[in-house]
Amino acid sequence: MRRHLAWRLALIAPTALAASIVVFFALRVLPGDIVRVIIGDVPVSPEVQEALREELGLNDALPIQYGRWLWSMVNGEFGGRSLENGEPIRSIISRHLPVTVLLAGYTVLLSIFVSVPLGVLAAVAGNRWPDYLIRVATLGGLALPNLWVALLVLLGLLLFFRWSPPIIYTAPTADPWNHMQMMVWPTLILAWEYSSHLVRVTRSTMLEGLSQAYITTARSKGLSERDVVLRHALRNALIPAVTMLGLQSGTLLSGALILETIFGLPGIGRGLVQAALARDYPVIQSLASLLVVLSLVVNLGVDIIYTLVDPRFSRAT
Amino acid sequence: MRLALLLVLVAAGSLALSCLGKSAPSTPDVNSGRLPAQEETTAPTTQATPSVATVSPVPGEHRTKYGGILVLANRGDPAAGFDPLRTSSIALHHVGGALFGPGNLVMRCRENTYLVCPYLATSWLANPGFTEWTFTIRNGVYWHDGTLFTAEDAKFWFDLAYFGAKVGDKTRAPAYFKGEFGDVEKVEVLEHNRLRITFRHRNPYFLDILADPRFKIAHPRHLMQARIEKGEVSISPLDVGLVGLGPFKLEAYEKGSVVRVRRSFQYWEKDGESNRLPYVDGIDYVIMPDPFAMDVAFRTGRLDGGARGQEHYLTAERKQGYVRDLGEDVFFAEMEGGNFRLGFNVLKPGPWQDPQVRRAMALWIDKRAAIPSALGGFGWTSPDLVPPNIPLPEIRTYFINWPKFDLGPLEEKRAEARRLMAGAGYADGFSMGHLCRALNPAPCEFLKAQLAGLGIDLQLHVLDEGAWSRARGTLDYDSQQGRLTPSPIPEGTESVYGRYGKNPDAYAKHEDPRVDELYRRLREALTFASRVEIWRQIERYLFVEQTYIIPIAESIQVVPYRAYVKGLVIPVEDGHTHTDFATVWLDKKKGGR
Amino acid sequence: MKHHHDRGPRFRASFPRPLAKALSGTWVFARTKALIAVPMAVLVLLATVALFADVVATHDPLAQNVEQRLRPPGPGHYFGTDGFGRDIFSRVVHGARVSLFVGFLAVSMAAVSGTGIGMFSAYWGGKLDLLVQRVVDVLLGFPFLVLALMMVVALGPSSTSVAIGIALGLTPQVARLSRASALSIKEEEYVKAAMVIGASSYRIIWRHLLPNSGPPILAQVTGYFGTAVVAETTLSFLGLGVPPPFPSWGRMLQEGVRQYFEAAPWATVFPGLALSVSVLACALLGDAVRDLLDPRRVQTAQPRGQQGVRAGHRQAEL
C-alpha cells in the first residue's frame, strides 16, 4: 500500500506537467482576441492592435510562450501577469484561492456533520416518513440548479426580509461577522447539493450493510440495535462516504464558479470565468493548472484517508 | 441624432470659443447641478451665497455638504491595469472619474455637457490656420503623491498617447484613440507652463475631441518615465499605485471585490462658494458583475448608486421593483446612449448588396417595437424623434428642420418594402447571417423576428465577448449591429460610418468613395451652416439612398441613485464614460439611511 | 400517470387480447414499480412533447408581439407571454427539444467514450491501465463546469458544443465505473474460459464485458442526464448556453429571473418547473434502475486491488 501511495505521489508532477501542456495548447486554439478585449468598445487601427500584440508577447512562437510560462510557474511567479490588467498572477492566486478554499471548507465540514447522521437516520427509518423526507430533500439538492436556488434565496431575502447579504468581502480575521453573513448563503446552497450526494451514499451503504451476514451475526449475539448500527454498519458506510468527498470535489468548484459571481465573493471560480471570457491566457492557464494540482492532491488525500479507514486494505493488498 | 444635436451645440458654444481662441470662463460653476433627471428630487440649488456652508433646502436648518462615503456598484474589475489609454471599458471609467478626474486639459462643462470648459488648462489659443493649439496649464494642481503637475507632465501624457514608446526592441502601442486626435506633428513645452501641440493639417475641432471624457490623464511622468526608459514600456497606472490628478485617491483595491477611493485634500477645484471639492470623504466601488445581485443590494439599502454598463442599466420592469421598495428614496439618472443599428457587409456577396433590398428592410422594421423588448423599455426611435433629455428646450427648433426619415404609417412602409423586395427579385426572401453578442442577445432576437415577416431568415451567429470583439472587424459576417460609441462630433463619426479600408470597425462594411468624399468636405467646411448641410447629405446618403446602416433606436441608460445623493453630474448623453463625482454630496438626513 | 391507473383495467374487456394484455401488464407494472413507472412516464411524455413540439405548441415559439408582452397565463397563452410577447407554453414545449437534445447528446457521447476508455483500460491492464487511471483521476476532480465552460469558449456557444463540453466532464465518471465493472466481469469463470479457448480481445470485450457491464452504466448515465440539463442552465447564466433563437429552459429561466421575476413570475416558474421535473425524473429513474439491478454484483466479485474496492463502493452510491 505504501508503494502505491508513493507511486501516486511521484506521478503528480508528470501528470500536472502533461495537463499544463494540454491546457496551454488548447487555449491557444481558442478564437477571440485579448487585444480587442483590452481595447474595449472602440474602433482602433490594425497598426495599434499589432503593436499591442507585440507588446504583450503574443507574437512569439508557442513553444517559447509555453517555456516562458512554465519557467514562471517554477520560479514562483505563477505565469507572470494577467494580460488583461497586468496584475501579477501570484497576487491573483493569493487573493482568490483563500476565498474558494474557505467556501469549500465550510461546505465540506457542514456536509459531513449533517449528512452522516441524516444518511444513518434514513437507512434506519427504512421507507418510513423520515426516510422519504430525507430522500426528497436530497433529490432536490441534486435536481435543482444551485444557481437558480441562489437567485431565489436572494429574491426571498429581498421580498420577505428586505435584507441582503453584505456586498464587500472581508477575510474572517478582518471582520468575522461580515464574513459570516456573506459566506453563510453560498455555503448552505452548496452544502445542500454536496451533502445530498453524501446522504445518498451513506444511506445506501448503510442499508446494504444492515442486511449483511456479519450484522445478522452481531444482532444474534445480542448486541443492541444502536451498537449494531453505530459500531458495525456505520463504520462500513463511512468508507464510500470518504470516496464521495473526493469524487465530488469537482462539484464544489463548479458550484463556486456561479455562487461566487452571485454573492460577490472574489474567489477562484469567478476569476476563472472572467479570464475565460476575456481570453486572458496566462490567468486561465495558471488557474486551471492550479485546479489540476488541487484535484490531484485531493485524490491523494482521499486515498490516504481511505487506507486509514478501511481495514480491508491491509488484508486485501 | 445625437450627432446632430452635438453639432448644433458644439458649434453654438465651444466652437465659437475655440475659433476665437478666447479663454473660457475660469472655474466652472459646479453648484448649478440642475439636471433633468434630478429635477423632481432636488430643490433649487443656491447660486451665489457667499457663506461657507450652503443654505439647506429645508428652511431653518443648516448643514454642510461635506462627509460620507458614497457606495456605488461597478460592473467589473477595471480592465487593462486602469489604463485609459488602453480601454474605454466602463468598468474603468466609472472609477476613473474619481481617480483621474472628469477631464484632461479641458472637460465637458458640468452645467451643459455639450460645451467645453477648462480643466487642467486655464486657457488656450489656436493659430488662424488651426494647426497649432497652445494651452496654458493651471497652477497649483498636484498629483496624489504631492508632486506638482506641469506642462512637462501634460507633454508626457500626449506623447505616450499619440506616439507610444520605443525602448530597444520593446514598443508601447499608442492609445487606441490616437486617430481621433488628428495628425499630431509634435508636442512642445513652452515657457510659462504652456504646452503647444502642432498638427500637420487643419484641426479646428481639436478642443471638442479633447473634451471627450474617455481621455483621462492617468500617467504620472515622475513615476513612469524612468521605468519606461529602463524598458518597462507596458507600465500601467496600476503599476505605479494609481497616482492620479482627480478628486479622489486610491485607498485600496481588492480585486473582484472593491475599489476604495478617498478624498484628495490637495484637489484644486472649488465650488461657487470657494469651498474645496470634493464634498464626500470617499467612494467605494463594489464590483458586482451580476445585475440581479446589484438590484437586490440596492433595494435593501447596501448601495447609494448603481453601476454603469449595458447589462446593469435598468429595464422598465426592474425599475418598477426599485420604485416599489424605495419610492421617493430613489431617483433615476437617465442618459442617452447606446444606439441600436443594423449594418450590412456589402463587401460580401449576397442579396444585401442591392440597395433596394437594404432599403426594404429599413422600411419593414417596426422600430418602435424595439424599445420595450430589445432595449428594456427605455429609448426612442431614431432618427424620427427628438431625444427626450435635451438640456436646452430651444434646441428643439433645430430638430424640426432635421430630416425625419420614414415617418409614414407602418402598413404603407411595409407595402413599399414588399414592392422593393419583389422588384429586386427576392419576393420569396433569402437567408442572411448576423453577428451577435452572447451577453446581449435581445436585439438579435428582435431583428430575427422582425425580418422573418419579410421572408428574410436571419441566421444568428452568437459569440461570447472575446470572439465577438474580434469578429466585429472582420468581413466574415453578412450583417451586424452598431453598438460602438462614436466620437461626439460629426467629423468623428467616420470611424463608424466610413470606408472599411480606413475603419475596420465601422458598423457597415463598404468601400464607397463617395462617403470618403463627403467626410472630407465635412472637415473642410468653413461655416456652421455648410457643416450642417454636409452632415445632412451624409445622413441621407448613408441611411436612405444607400441604406448601409439602418438606424433603429437609441437607448436611454438608466442608473438608480438614492435620493440623498445630491449634486451629481448626469450627462445628457453618453454617460458611459463621463463620470464626475467631485460635486456629489450626501444629504443623509433627508435620505434617512 | 393517473390516467394509466384508471384506464388499465377498465379498457381491458373491450380491447383485443394482445392489447388488453399489454395494458394490464402496464397497469401491474405501474402499481408494483411506481418508482420506475412514474419517472419513466414523465420522460416518455417529455420525449413525446419534444418529438411533436410543432403539434403540441399553440404558437410559433419565436413569433414576437410587443402588444402582448408579459401577459399572465390565460386561455390565449396557457403559460403567459415573455418580454417579447412570445408564448411561453410554446417556448417551454420547444425548449424540451433543446434540453433533451443537449442532454441526450452529452450523455450518449459520455457513455460511448467513457465505456470505451474503461473497457479497454480494464481489459489490457498494466501500464496502460495505470496511465488511463491517472488521467481519469485528474479529470474526476477537475470542476466539471470549468471543462464545459472552456469547451464552449473554444467552440463557440451552440447546443453541440455545450453537449460536447458536458460530455467531456462526464466521461471520466463513466470511464471509472465501466472499468470497475469490466474488471469484475473479467474475473468471472466464463470470461476466463473464453480467454483460454483463445477468443479474440475484440470478441471478449464486445460479447462479454460490454453486455454485462451495460446495465450499471446505463443506470449511472440516466442519472447524469439531469446533470447535463442543469449544466446547460448554468452555462446559460454566463451567456454561453444554447444561443438564441432556440428557446432553452436555462436561458428562459435566466431571463425570467433577471429581467422580470416580480413583474411576470410565470416567465420563470414554468420553464423552471419543466426543468426541475425532468431532472427529478431522471434522478429517480436512475435510482430505481440501480435498485433493480443487484447492488452487490460488483462488490461480491473479487476486488482486484484498491481500484476494485473503490469501484465497488462507487457502484453502491449510484
Coordinates of all heavy atoms in Angstrom, one line a residue, chain A residues 31-33 36 38-44 52 55 81 84-85 87 95 151 155 158 162-169 262 266 270 274 277 279, chain B residues 80-81 86-88 171-173 176 214 234 239 255-257 260 286-289 292-293 296 299-300 302-303 325 464 466-467 469-470 472 505:
Chain A
P31 N -10.6 30.8 -30.4 CA -10.8 32.0 -31.2 C -11.0 33.2 -30.2 O -11.1 32.9 -29.0 CB -12.1 31.8 -32.0 CG -12.9 30.8 -31.2 CD -11.8 30.0 -30.4
G32 N -11.0 34.4 -30.7 CA -11.1 35.5 -29.8 C -9.7 36.1 -29.5 O -8.7 35.5 -29.8
D33 N -9.7 37.3 -29.1 CA -8.5 38.1 -29.1 C -8.4 39.0 -27.9 O -9.2 39.9 -27.7 CB -8.5 39.0 -30.4 CG -7.1 39.5 -30.6 OD1 -6.3 39.6 -29.7 OD2 -6.9 40.0 -31.8
R36 N -8.4 42.8 -28.5 CA -9.7 43.5 -28.6 C -10.4 43.7 -27.3 O -11.0 44.7 -27.1 CB -10.5 42.8 -29.6 CG -10.0 42.7 -31.0 CD -9.7 44.1 -31.6 NE -10.6 45.1 -31.0 CZ -11.5 45.7 -31.7 NH1 -11.7 45.4 -32.9 NH2 -12.3 46.6 -31.1
I38 N -9.0 44.1 -24.4 CA -8.3 45.1 -23.7 C -8.8 46.5 -24.2 O -9.1 47.4 -23.4 CB -6.8 45.0 -23.8 CG1 -6.3 43.8 -23.0 CG2 -6.1 46.3 -23.4 CD1 -4.8 43.6 -23.1
I39 N -8.9 46.6 -25.5 CA -9.2 47.9 -26.1 C -10.6 48.3 -25.8 O -11.0 49.5 -25.6 CB -8.9 47.9 -27.6 CG1 -7.3 47.9 -27.8 CG2 -9.4 49.2 -28.3 CD1 -6.9 47.5 -29.1
G40 N -11.5 47.3 -25.8 CA -12.9 47.6 -25.5 C -13.7 48.0 -26.7 O -13.4 47.6 -27.8
D41 N -14.8 48.7 -26.4 CA -15.8 49.0 -27.4 C -15.4 50.2 -28.3 O -16.3 51.0 -28.6 CB -17.1 49.3 -26.7 CG -18.0 48.2 -26.8 OD1 -17.6 47.1 -27.1 OD2 -19.2 48.4 -26.5
V42 N -14.2 50.2 -28.8 CA -13.9 51.4 -29.7 C -13.2 51.0 -30.9 O -12.5 50.0 -31.0 CB -13.0 52.4 -28.9 CG1 -13.8 53.1 -27.9 CG2 -11.9 51.6 -28.2
P43 N -13.4 51.8 -32.0 CA -12.7 51.5 -33.2 C -11.2 51.8 -33.0 O -10.8 52.7 -32.3 CB -13.2 52.5 -34.2 CG -14.1 53.4 -33.5 CD -14.2 53.0 -32.0
V44 N -10.3 50.9 -33.6 CA -8.9 51.1 -33.4 C -8.2 50.6 -34.7 O -8.7 49.6 -35.3 CB -8.4 50.5 -32.1 CG1 -8.3 49.0 -32.3 CG2 -7.1 51.0 -31.7
L52 N 0.2 46.4 -29.9 CA -0.2 46.0 -28.6 C 0.1 44.5 -28.5 O 0.5 44.0 -27.4 CB -1.7 46.3 -28.4 CG -2.2 46.1 -27.0 CD1 -1.4 47.0 -26.0 CD2 -3.7 46.5 -26.9
E55 N 3.6 44.0 -27.9 CA 4.0 44.4 -26.5 C 3.6 43.3 -25.5 O 4.3 43.1 -24.5 CB 3.2 45.7 -26.2 CG 3.5 46.4 -24.9 CD 2.5 47.5 -24.7 OE1 2.2 48.3 -25.7 OE2 2.0 47.7 -23.6
R81 N 2.0 37.7 -15.5 CA 1.0 38.7 -15.3 C -0.2 38.5 -16.1 O -0.2 37.9 -17.2 CB 1.5 40.1 -15.6 CG 2.5 40.6 -14.6 CD 3.4 41.7 -15.2 NE 4.2 42.3 -14.2 CZ 3.7 43.4 -13.4 NH1 2.5 43.9 -13.7 NH2 4.4 43.9 -12.5
E84 N -4.8 41.0 -19.2 CA -5.9 42.0 -19.2 C -5.6 43.2 -18.4 O -5.8 44.3 -18.8 CB -7.2 41.3 -18.7 CG -8.4 42.1 -19.1 CD -9.7 41.7 -18.3 OE1 -9.6 40.8 -17.5 OE2 -10.7 42.3 -18.6
N85 N -5.1 43.0 -17.2 CA -4.8 44.2 -16.4 C -3.4 44.3 -15.8 O -3.2 45.1 -14.9 CB -5.9 44.4 -15.3 CG -5.9 43.3 -14.3 OD1 -5.0 42.5 -14.3 ND2 -6.9 43.2 -13.5
E87 N -1.9 42.5 -13.7 CA -1.7 42.2 -12.3 C -0.9 40.9 -12.2 O -1.1 39.9 -13.0 CB -3.0 42.0 -11.6 CG -2.9 42.0 -10.1 CD -4.1 41.5 -9.4 OE1 -5.1 41.3 -10.0 OE2 -4.0 41.4 -8.1
R95 N -5.0 36.0 -3.6 CA -6.2 36.7 -3.1 C -7.4 35.8 -3.3 O -8.3 35.7 -2.5 CB -6.4 38.0 -3.8 CG -7.5 38.8 -3.1 CD -7.5 40.2 -3.7 NE -6.9 40.2 -5.0 CZ -6.0 41.1 -5.4 NH1 -5.6 42.0 -4.6 NH2 -5.5 41.0 -6.6
L151 N -30.4 32.4 -6.8 CA -31.2 33.6 -7.2 C -32.5 33.7 -6.4 O -32.9 34.8 -5.9 CB -31.5 33.5 -8.7 CG -30.3 33.7 -9.6 CD1 -30.7 33.5 -11.1 CD2 -29.7 35.0 -9.4
L155 N -33.8 36.6 -3.8 CA -35.1 37.2 -4.0 C -36.0 37.0 -2.8 O -36.7 38.0 -2.4 CB -35.8 36.5 -5.2 CG -36.8 37.3 -6.0 CD1 -36.2 38.5 -6.6 CD2 -37.4 36.4 -7.0
L158 N -34.9 39.4 -0.2 CA -35.3 40.8 -0.6 C -36.8 41.0 -0.3 O -37.2 41.9 0.3 CB -35.0 41.0 -2.0 CG -35.6 42.2 -2.7 CD1 -35.0 43.5 -2.1 CD2 -35.5 42.2 -4.2
R162 N -36.5 42.1 3.3 CA -35.9 43.4 3.0 C -34.4 43.4 3.4 O -33.9 44.4 3.9 CB -36.6 44.6 3.6 CG -38.0 44.8 3.1 CD -38.0 45.8 1.9 NE -39.3 45.8 1.2 CZ -39.6 45.0 0.2 NH1 -38.6 44.2 -0.3 NH2 -40.7 45.0 -0.4
W163 N -33.8 42.3 3.2 CA -32.4 42.2 3.6 C -31.6 41.5 2.6 O -32.1 40.7 1.8 CB -32.3 41.4 4.9 CG -31.0 41.3 5.6 CD1 -30.4 42.2 6.4 CD2 -30.0 40.3 5.4 NE1 -29.1 41.8 6.8 CE2 -28.8 40.7 6.1 CE3 -29.9 39.1 4.6 CZ2 -27.7 39.9 6.2 CZ3 -28.8 38.3 4.7 CH2 -27.7 38.7 5.4
S164 N -30.3 41.8 2.4 CA -29.5 41.1 1.5 C -28.1 40.9 2.2 O -27.8 41.7 3.1 CB -29.3 41.8 0.2 OG -28.6 43.0 0.4
P165 N -27.4 39.9 1.8 CA -26.0 39.7 2.4 C -25.1 40.9 2.1 O -25.4 41.6 1.1 CB -25.5 38.5 1.8 CG -26.6 37.9 0.9 CD -27.7 38.9 0.8
P166 N -24.1 41.2 2.9 CA -23.2 42.3 2.6 C -22.6 42.1 1.2 O -22.6 41.0 0.7 CB -22.2 42.2 3.7 CG -22.8 41.4 4.8 CD -23.8 40.5 4.1
I167 N -22.0 43.2 0.7 CA -21.5 43.1 -0.7 C -20.0 43.2 -0.8 O -19.4 43.0 -1.8 CB -22.2 44.1 -1.6 CG1 -22.2 45.5 -0.9 CG2 -23.6 43.7 -1.9 CD1 -22.9 46.6 -1.7
I168 N -19.4 43.6 0.3 CA -17.9 43.7 0.2 C -17.3 42.6 1.1 O -17.5 42.6 2.3 CB -17.4 45.1 0.7 CG1 -18.1 46.2 -0.2 CG2 -15.9 45.2 0.6 CD1 -17.8 47.6 0.3
Y169 N -16.5 41.8 0.4 CA -16.0 40.6 1.1 C -14.9 41.0 2.1 O -14.1 41.9 1.8 CB -15.4 39.6 0.1 CG -14.7 38.4 0.7 CD1 -15.4 37.4 1.2 CD2 -13.3 38.4 0.8 CE1 -14.7 36.3 1.8 CE2 -12.6 37.4 1.4 CZ -13.4 36.3 1.9 OH -12.7 35.3 2.5
I262 N -22.6 35.4 -8.0 CA -23.8 36.0 -7.5 C -23.6 36.6 -6.1 O -24.2 37.7 -5.9 CB -24.9 34.8 -7.4 CG1 -25.2 34.4 -8.8 CG2 -26.1 35.3 -6.7 CD1 -26.2 33.2 -8.9
P266 N -14.7 37.2 -4.1 CA -13.6 37.2 -5.1 C -12.9 35.9 -5.0 O -11.7 35.9 -4.6 CB -12.8 38.4 -4.6 CG -13.1 38.5 -3.1 CD -14.5 38.0 -2.9
R270 N -14.8 32.5 -9.9 CA -15.1 33.8 -10.6 C -14.0 34.3 -11.4 O -14.2 34.8 -12.5 CB -15.5 34.8 -9.5 CG -16.0 36.0 -10.1 CD -16.7 36.8 -8.9 NE -16.7 38.2 -9.2 CZ -16.9 39.2 -8.4 NH1 -17.2 38.8 -7.1 NH2 -16.9 40.4 -8.7
Q274 N -14.1 34.9 -15.5 CA -13.7 36.2 -16.1 C -12.5 36.1 -17.1 O -12.6 36.6 -18.2 CB -13.3 37.2 -15.0 CG -14.5 38.0 -14.5 CD -14.1 38.9 -13.3 OE1 -12.9 39.1 -13.1 NE2 -15.1 39.5 -12.7
L277 N -13.6 34.4 -20.4 CA -14.4 35.3 -21.3 C -13.5 36.3 -21.9 O -13.7 36.8 -23.0 CB -15.6 35.9 -20.5 CG -16.7 35.0 -20.1 CD1 -17.8 35.7 -19.4 CD2 -17.2 34.3 -21.4
R279 N -10.3 35.9 -22.5 CA -9.2 35.2 -23.2 C -7.9 35.6 -22.6 O -6.9 35.8 -23.3 CB -9.1 35.6 -24.7 CG -10.4 35.3 -25.5 CD -10.6 33.8 -25.6 NE -11.6 33.5 -26.5 CZ -12.9 33.5 -26.3 NH1 -13.3 33.9 -25.1 NH2 -13.8 33.2 -27.2
Chain B
A80 N -7.3 46.4 -18.0 CA -6.0 47.0 -18.6 C -5.2 47.8 -17.6 O -4.7 48.8 -17.9 CB -6.3 47.8 -19.8
G81 N -5.2 47.3 -16.3 CA -4.4 48.0 -15.3 C -4.8 49.4 -15.1 O -4.0 50.3 -14.9
R86 N -5.7 52.5 -22.9 CA -5.9 51.2 -23.4 C -7.4 50.8 -23.6 O -7.7 50.0 -24.4 CB -5.3 50.1 -22.5 CG -3.8 50.1 -22.5 CD -3.3 49.3 -23.6 NE -1.8 49.2 -23.6 CZ -1.1 50.1 -24.2 NH1 -1.6 51.0 -24.9 NH2 0.2 50.0 -24.1
T87 N -8.2 51.3 -22.8 CA -9.6 50.8 -22.8 C -10.6 51.9 -22.6 O -10.4 52.8 -21.9 CB -9.8 49.7 -21.8 OG1 -11.1 49.2 -21.9 CG2 -9.5 50.1 -20.4
S88 N -11.8 51.7 -23.2 CA -12.9 52.6 -22.9 C -13.9 51.8 -22.0 O -15.0 52.3 -21.9 CB -13.6 52.9 -24.2 OG -14.3 51.8 -24.8
T171 N 8.2 47.9 -27.8 CA 7.4 49.1 -28.2 C 6.2 49.1 -27.3 O 5.6 48.1 -27.0 CB 7.0 49.0 -29.7 OG1 6.5 47.7 -29.9 CG2 8.0 49.4 -30.6
R172 N 5.8 50.3 -27.0 CA 4.5 50.5 -26.4 C 3.5 51.1 -27.4 O 3.8 52.1 -28.1 CB 4.7 51.5 -25.2 CG 3.3 51.8 -24.5 CD 3.5 52.9 -23.5 NE 2.1 53.3 -23.0 CZ 1.7 52.9 -21.8 NH1 2.4 52.1 -21.1 NH2 0.4 53.2 -21.5
A173 N 2.4 50.5 -27.5 CA 1.4 50.9 -28.5 C 0.8 52.3 -28.1 O 0.7 52.5 -26.9 CB 0.3 49.9 -28.6
Y176 N -5.5 53.8 -28.1 CA -6.4 53.3 -29.1 C -7.1 54.5 -29.8 O -7.6 54.4 -30.9 CB -7.5 52.4 -28.4 CG -8.4 53.1 -27.5 CD1 -9.6 53.7 -28.0 CD2 -8.2 53.2 -26.2 CE1 -10.4 54.3 -27.2 CE2 -9.0 53.8 -25.3 CZ -10.1 54.4 -25.8 OH -11.0 55.1 -25.0
R214 N -13.4 60.2 -22.2 CA -12.6 58.9 -22.2 C -11.1 59.2 -22.0 O -10.3 58.4 -21.6 CB -12.8 58.2 -23.5 CG -14.1 57.5 -23.6 CD -14.2 56.8 -25.0 NE -14.3 57.8 -26.1 CZ -13.7 57.7 -27.3 NH1 -13.1 56.6 -27.6 NH2 -13.9 58.6 -28.2
S234 N 5.3 48.7 -21.0 CA 3.9 48.5 -20.9 C 3.4 48.8 -19.5 O 2.3 48.4 -19.1 CB 3.5 47.0 -21.2 OG 4.3 46.1 -20.4
D239 N 0.5 49.9 -12.0 CA 1.8 49.5 -11.6 C 2.5 50.6 -10.7 O 3.4 50.3 -10.0 CB 2.7 49.3 -12.8 CG 2.2 48.1 -13.6 OD1 1.7 47.1 -13.0 OD2 2.4 48.1 -14.9
K255 N -9.1 43.1 -5.7 CA -9.6 42.6 -7.0 C -10.8 41.7 -6.8 O -10.9 40.9 -5.8 CB -8.5 41.9 -7.7 CG -8.9 41.6 -9.1 CD -7.7 41.2 -9.9 CE -8.1 41.0 -11.4 NZ -8.6 39.7 -11.7
G256 N -11.8 41.9 -7.6 CA -13.0 41.1 -7.6 C -13.9 41.5 -6.4 O -15.0 40.8 -6.2
S257 N -13.6 42.5 -5.7 CA -14.4 42.9 -4.5 C -14.7 44.3 -4.5 O -15.9 44.7 -4.5 CB -13.6 42.4 -3.3 OG -14.4 42.6 -2.1
R260 N -11.6 51.1 -3.3 CA -11.9 52.2 -2.4 C -11.1 53.4 -2.7 O -9.9 53.4 -2.8 CB -11.6 51.8 -0.9 CG -12.5 50.7 -0.4 CD -12.0 50.3 1.0 NE -12.4 49.0 1.4 CZ -13.6 48.7 2.0 NH1 -14.5 49.7 2.2 NH2 -13.9 47.5 2.3
V286 N -18.1 48.9 -5.5 CA -18.3 47.5 -5.2 C -18.4 46.7 -6.5 O -19.3 47.0 -7.3 CB -19.5 47.2 -4.3 CG1 -19.5 45.7 -4.0 CG2 -19.4 48.0 -3.1
I287 N -17.6 45.7 -6.7 CA -17.6 45.0 -8.0 C -18.7 44.0 -8.1 O -18.7 43.0 -7.3 CB -16.2 44.5 -8.3 CG1 -15.3 45.6 -8.6 CG2 -16.2 43.5 -9.5 CD1 -13.8 45.4 -8.4
M288 N -19.7 44.2 -8.9 CA -20.8 43.3 -9.0 C -21.2 43.0 -10.4 O -21.9 43.7 -11.1 CB -22.1 44.1 -8.4 CG -21.8 44.6 -7.0 SD -23.4 45.1 -6.2 CE -23.7 43.6 -5.3
P289 N -20.6 41.9 -10.9 CA -20.9 41.5 -12.3 C -22.3 41.1 -12.6 O -22.7 41.2 -13.7 CB -19.9 40.3 -12.5 CG -19.2 40.1 -11.3 CD -19.8 40.9 -10.2
F292 N -28.6 41.3 -11.3 CA -29.6 40.9 -10.3 C -29.1 41.1 -8.9 O -29.8 41.6 -8.0 CB -30.0 39.4 -10.6 CG -31.0 38.9 -9.6 CD1 -32.4 39.3 -9.7 CD2 -30.7 38.1 -8.6 CE1 -33.3 38.9 -8.8 CE2 -31.6 37.6 -7.7 CZ -33.0 38.0 -7.8
A293 N -27.9 40.7 -8.7 CA -27.3 40.9 -7.3 C -27.2 42.4 -7.0 O -27.4 42.8 -5.9 CB -25.9 40.3 -7.3
V296 N -30.7 43.6 -5.9 CA -31.1 43.2 -4.6 C -30.3 44.0 -3.6 O -30.9 44.5 -2.6 CB -30.8 41.7 -4.4 CG1 -30.9 41.3 -2.9 CG2 -31.6 40.8 -5.3
R299 N -31.8 47.6 -3.5 CA -33.1 47.7 -2.9 C -33.1 47.4 -1.4 O -34.1 47.8 -0.7 CB -34.1 46.8 -3.7 CG -34.4 47.3 -5.1 CD -35.0 46.3 -6.0 NE -36.3 45.9 -5.4 CZ -37.1 44.9 -6.0 NH1 -36.7 44.4 -7.1 NH2 -38.2 44.6 -5.4
T300 N -32.1 46.8 -0.9 CA -32.0 46.6 0.5 C -31.1 47.6 1.2 O -30.7 47.4 2.3 CB -31.5 45.1 0.8 OG1 -30.3 44.9 0.1 CG2 -32.5 44.1 0.4
R302 N -27.9 48.6 0.4 CA -26.5 48.5 0.6 C -25.7 49.3 -0.5 O -24.5 49.4 -0.4 CB -26.1 47.0 0.4 CG -26.6 46.2 1.6 CD -25.9 44.8 1.7 NE -26.5 44.0 2.7 CZ -26.1 44.1 4.0 NH1 -25.1 44.9 4.3 NH2 -26.7 43.3 4.9
L303 N -26.4 49.9 -1.4 CA -25.8 50.8 -2.4 C -26.4 52.1 -2.5 O -27.6 52.3 -2.2 CB -25.9 50.1 -3.8 CG -25.1 48.8 -4.1 CD1 -25.6 48.2 -5.4 CD2 -23.7 49.2 -4.2
D325 N -40.0 49.4 -3.7 CA -39.3 49.2 -2.5 C -38.9 50.6 -1.9 O -38.9 50.8 -0.7 CB -38.0 48.4 -2.6 CG -38.3 46.9 -2.7 OD1 -39.5 46.6 -2.6 OD2 -37.3 46.1 -2.8
D464 N -19.3 34.8 -27.7 CA -19.0 35.4 -26.4 C -18.1 36.6 -26.7 O -17.6 36.9 -27.8 CB -18.4 34.4 -25.5 CG -17.0 34.0 -25.9 OD1 -16.8 33.1 -26.7 OD2 -16.1 34.7 -25.4
G466 N -15.0 37.7 -26.2 CA -13.7 37.7 -26.8 C -13.8 37.4 -28.3 O -13.3 38.1 -29.2
A467 N -14.6 36.4 -28.7 CA -14.8 36.1 -30.1 C -15.6 37.2 -30.8 O -15.2 37.6 -32.0 CB -15.5 34.8 -30.2
S469 N -15.7 40.4 -30.2 CA -14.9 41.7 -30.4 C -13.9 41.5 -31.5 O -13.6 42.4 -32.2 CB -14.3 42.2 -29.1 OG -13.6 41.2 -28.5
R470 N -13.5 40.3 -31.8 CA -12.6 40.1 -32.9 C -13.4 40.0 -34.2 O -13.1 40.6 -35.2 CB -11.8 38.8 -32.8 CG -10.8 38.7 -33.9 CD -9.9 37.5 -33.8 NE -10.6 36.2 -34.0 CZ -10.0 35.1 -34.2 NH1 -8.7 35.1 -34.3 NH2 -10.7 34.0 -34.4
R472 N -16.1 41.4 -35.1 CA -16.7 42.7 -35.5 C -15.9 43.4 -36.6 O -16.5 44.0 -37.4 CB -16.6 43.6 -34.2 CG -17.8 44.3 -33.9 CD -17.7 44.9 -32.5 NE -16.5 45.6 -32.3 CZ -16.3 46.2 -31.1 NH1 -17.1 46.2 -30.2 NH2 -15.2 46.9 -31.0
D505 N -13.6 48.8 -38.0 CA -14.6 48.6 -37.0 C -16.0 49.3 -37.4 O -16.9 49.2 -36.6 CB -14.2 49.2 -35.7 CG -13.9 48.0 -34.7 OD1 -14.6 47.0 -34.8 OD2 -13.1 48.2 -33.8

